[in-house]
Amino acid sequence: MKTLIFAGSTRQQSYNRKLAAATSLLATAAGAEVTHIELADFNIPMYNADLEAEGTPADVMRLKQLMFEHPAWIICAPEYNGSYPALLKNTLDWASSPVKTDPVWKDGMRSFSGKVVGLLSASPGGLGGLRSLSHLAPLMLNLQCWVAPKQFALSRAFEAFAEDGSLKQDAHRASVQIVIDQVLWAGRKFHA
């Protein structure tokens, strides 16, 4: 199962980037064909319809194609002010915007429709970014994705990772694994 994993953060020491990396290793061990991307590797400006009218940026097209090619995704979403960050919303807004002049990409939902999405979050706080996930799930449903019912919000993330980047606690690894397993199971069912 081709699985796309990314974090909605570009901060160097981001807990969600660390969680995405740890999740990628667990998903690979579970048999997924993982593509782990960093949003910092994509030059995506703030969405603006006037800018879009000049032409969809090349990195947006590259991201649209990557999303389309992967039936399963896992998103690690930070929590800013009780919701997901502007970076993640901007990325999803660009990726879902139709390219009116392109017969293949004029359907804005082409990259999203029917994708199985698992949601994770990491935060230094006690809730682990849970409020971010509660806002992100309806957005993904609106984008015609299937959202895995099990989610995991990693609290006290500043003490959760070993030096090699893995999750220290068995309970945390097990919680991430449940999300991975649901995403892979549903992805295989829906895209057999």
Side-chain angles (χ1 to χ4, degrees):
M1 175 57 50
K2 291 184 74 170
T3 305
L4 183 66
I5 299 178
F6 62 95
S9 178
T10 56
R11 187 173 65 85
Q12 285 296 316
Q13 296 301 316
S14 164
Y15 297 125
N16 284 279
R17 288 181 64 209
K18 290 179 181 183
L19 183 58
T23 301
S24 294
L25 293 175
L26 290 170
T28 299
E33 182 184 333
V34 172
T35 302
H36 177 198
I37 62 171
E38 295 283 355
L39 293 184
D41 294 335
F42 293 81
N43 184 14
I44 299 177
M46 286 301 294
Y47 180 80
N48 178 311
D50 293 335
L51 178 62
E52 183 181 35
E54 297 172 13
T56 302
D59 275 2
V60 171
M61 296 305 297
R62 184 165 63 104
L63 182 63
K64 283 176 174 280
Q65 185 65 38
L66 269 171
M67 290 175 154
F68 175 75
E69 291 171 355
H70 291 78
W73 307 350
I74 297 176
I75 302 173
C76 299
E79 180 178 296
Y80 294 178
N81 297 314
S83 190
Y84 50 83
L87 171 70
L88 183 54
K89 180 67 163 67
N90 186 63
T91 300
L92 296 172
D93 287 347
W94 268 114
S96 63
S97 186
V99 183
K100 296 174 181 73
T101 59
D102 188 313
V104 173
W105 294 105
K106 67 181 177 181
D107 176 5
M109 294 299 109
R110 185 169 192 263
S111 295
F112 291 85
S113 185
K115 303 302 178 182
V116 176
V117 181
L119 300 179
L120 302 172
S121 185
S123 167
L127 296 178
L130 190 61
R131 294 173 296 184
S132 172
L133 301 184
S134 72
H135 289 186
L136 185 56
L139 172 62
M140 300 314 296
L141 291 170
N142 190 62
L143 290 170
Q144 302 178 12
C145 297
W146 294 87
V147 178
K150 194 69 173 177
Q151 301 171 9
F152 177 57
L154 176 67
S155 62
R156 300 180 58 84
F158 55 87
E159 61 185 19
F161 297 95
E163 281 190 29
D164 67 358
S166 63
L167 290 164
K168 289 180 184 177
Q169 294 187 27
D170 291 342
H172 293 161
R173 286 191 300 277
S175 294
V176 170
Q177 192 66 53
I178 290 170
V179 175
I180 292 168
D181 291 346
Q182 285 190 348
V183 167
L184 296 182
W185 178 85
R188 290 181 184 113
K189 290 287 185 185
F190 298 149
H191 298 278

